[in-house]
Amino acid sequence: AAETVRRAKEKASDIVSAGAVPIVLGGDHTTPTPILQAVLEKTDKKIGLISFDAHIDLANDPLNWASSMWWQTFELGKISPKNFVEIGIRGVRNSIFDKNVAKGLGNKIYTIDKIKDRGMKEVIKEALEIACDGTDGIYVSVDLDVLDPTSFIAQKAPEFWGLTQDEFFIALREIARKKVVGFDICELTPDYDVNGMGAQFCARVVAEILGGIAIRKRDEERSK
């Protein structure tokens, strides 16, 4: 596992050094760790972090499926927990330990209850304000189990009552126009996919992010 992370970071560093934005289709949710490390080591500025996930994933264990290893990125000192937002949290797989760690860190969590009650437009607007507060760009990680399994079957840790595709793309289009410095999609499970629809969904997500980056760059050029 450690060697895989090292190799991924090496390749991501090549992308960042070329002045490009790393957009990564990963395996499990340790994927953001080497990508974030590559991004953060190339900048002296702080960035915000938005994670779409059904699970809090704050277990401090690199070999634990419930650990996205966010703690390793916090140790680099360029992401503050106050700029860390988790969206879509729900389900019985979230432990009391994770909940207490999140409470101690002070990062912002939007549970599925809050999203359904307030609406995604309001939630994502607030989430972006938090992630962008005093930062120079945002990193976005998407664990596909944030989606309701009835609309996205190809996931390995399904939790019922998740985001609809409408809610997800509303959020994604708002995010895409911000300064995205890195993006990943995790937890696609091909063995559970039907007619390749899960893979097509991921491809559409990448296209949306690329479109947002292109629009932002166009607007920046026009404003000069």
Side-chain angles (χ1 to χ4, degrees):
E3 176 62 11
T4 299
V5 170
R6 186 196 69 76
R7 291 179 180 182
K9 178 186 172 184
E10 185 178 86
K11 295 302 180 184
S13 294
D14 291 342
I15 296 169
V16 178
S17 295
V21 176
I23 298 176
V24 180
L25 283 76
D28 66 20
H29 213 173
T30 57
T31 297
T33 305
I35 314 306
L36 267 168
Q37 288 174 342
V39 169
L40 294 174
E41 288 182 1
K42 301 291 184 180
T43 182
D44 57 358
K45 299 178 180 178
K46 291 185 178 294
I47 69 168
L49 172 60
I50 294 179
S51 175
F52 288 87
D53 202 337
H55 310 108
I56 299 173
D57 281 6
L58 285 173
N60 190 355
D61 180 355
L63 298 181
N64 185 329
W65 72 273
S67 173
S68 297
M69 299 164 67
W70 299 128
W71 53 277
Q72 288 197 358
T73 59
F74 294 148
E75 288 174 348
L76 295 175
K78 295 173 185 175
I79 295 179
S80 169
K82 77 179 183 67
N83 298 123
F84 175 33
V85 183
E86 295 190 282
I87 298 174
I89 303 299
R90 68 189 189 281
V92 296
R93 291 184 178 92
N94 287 295
S95 69
I96 295 297
F97 174 85
D98 282 347
K99 182 179 179 181
N100 288 337
V101 172
K103 184 177 179 180
L105 285 173
N107 63 298
K108 183 66 174 180
I109 289 179
Y110 290 98
T111 63
I112 197 67
D113 304 67
K114 291 180 181 177
I115 295 166
K116 301 298 184 182
D117 180 53
R118 297 176 58 188
M120 181 55 85
K121 286 186 178 181
E122 183 178 332
V123 165
I124 197 60
K125 178 181 177 182
E126 187 174 287
L128 284 167
E129 288 173 354
I130 294 169
C132 295
D133 183 20
T135 63
D136 184 50
I138 56 172
Y139 184 96
V140 182
S141 181
V142 178
D143 185 329
L144 290 163
D145 63 31
V146 75
L147 293 158
D148 192 274
T150 59
S151 67
F152 189 88
I153 297 172
Q155 52 177 290
K156 74 177 181 67
E159 299 280 4
F160 289 103
W161 203 41
L163 294 187
T164 65
Q165 292 193 24
D166 283 350
E167 289 167 332
F168 180 76
F169 278 108
I170 285 170
L172 189 68
R173 287 193 167 185
E174 291 298 318
I175 287 170
R177 295 195 181 209
K178 299 296 181 181
K179 186 178 179 181
V180 176
V181 298
F183 186 91
D184 69 69
I185 310 172
C186 301
E187 304 283 4
L188 174 70
T189 309
D191 287 350
Y192 300 156
D193 205 352
V194 177
N195 296 329
M197 295 303 292
Q200 289 186 54
F201 179 91
C202 294
R204 174 60 182 269
V205 171
V206 170
E208 292 282 346
I209 288 295
L210 290 172
I213 292 172
I215 289 170
R216 181 175 59 81
K217 289 188 174 182
R218 181 200 65 188
D219 291 345
E220 287 175 353
E221 287 296 320
R222 286 179 176 177
S223 64
K224 290 181 180 179

